[in-house]
Amino acid sequence: MSNSSTPLSNDSINPSSPESDRHDHPRRSLVDSVKLPVQFVSFWGAIALPFAHLPLLAQGLGSPQATLLFLVLLTANALALYVGHGYKR
């Protein structure tokens, strides 16, 4: 029996070649350079956006425009919380 062919070979799992790393590096660098500022703005936006709700709630949500604006602000706040949750961890 020979050990050259095994029933469970890992031929499909190859270590990444230097050539593929070269192509991935600029994209990764761009993502890394944009990630921190986006998280920063999202984090502080999530803190500041609830203060925009206060005048709407004080005025009341009687009109459809005020209700729509409230829901848009609420959605923006939830999105900012999701994007900014990893800032400075």
Side-chain angles (χ1 to χ4, degrees):
M1 228 177 188
S2 170
N3 280 343
S4 64
S5 67
T6 60
L8 300 172
S9 68
N10 286 332
D11 293 337
S12 64
I13 303 173
N14 292 329
S16 62
S17 66
E19 183 176 320
S20 68
D21 288 343
R22 252 184 280 137
H23 293 297
D24 192 37
H25 180 67
R27 190 177 319 139
R28 183 173 294 159
S29 174
L30 177 66
V31 168
D32 289 343
S33 67
V34 171
K35 184 178 179 181
L36 187 64
V38 168
Q39 282 186 332
F40 171 80
V41 169
S42 297
F43 176 81
W44 288 107
I47 291 172
L49 275 171
F51 292 106
H53 291 95
L54 295 176
L56 283 172
L57 293 173
Q59 172 191 351
L61 299 176
S63 71
Q65 293 85 8
T67 304
L68 179 63
L69 182 59
F70 178 78
L71 291 175
V72 167
L73 284 172
L74 192 63
T75 303
N77 197 353
L79 182 64
L81 281 169
Y82 178 73
V83 173
H85 80 277
Y87 177 66
K88 291 269 185 169
R89 274 200 171 181

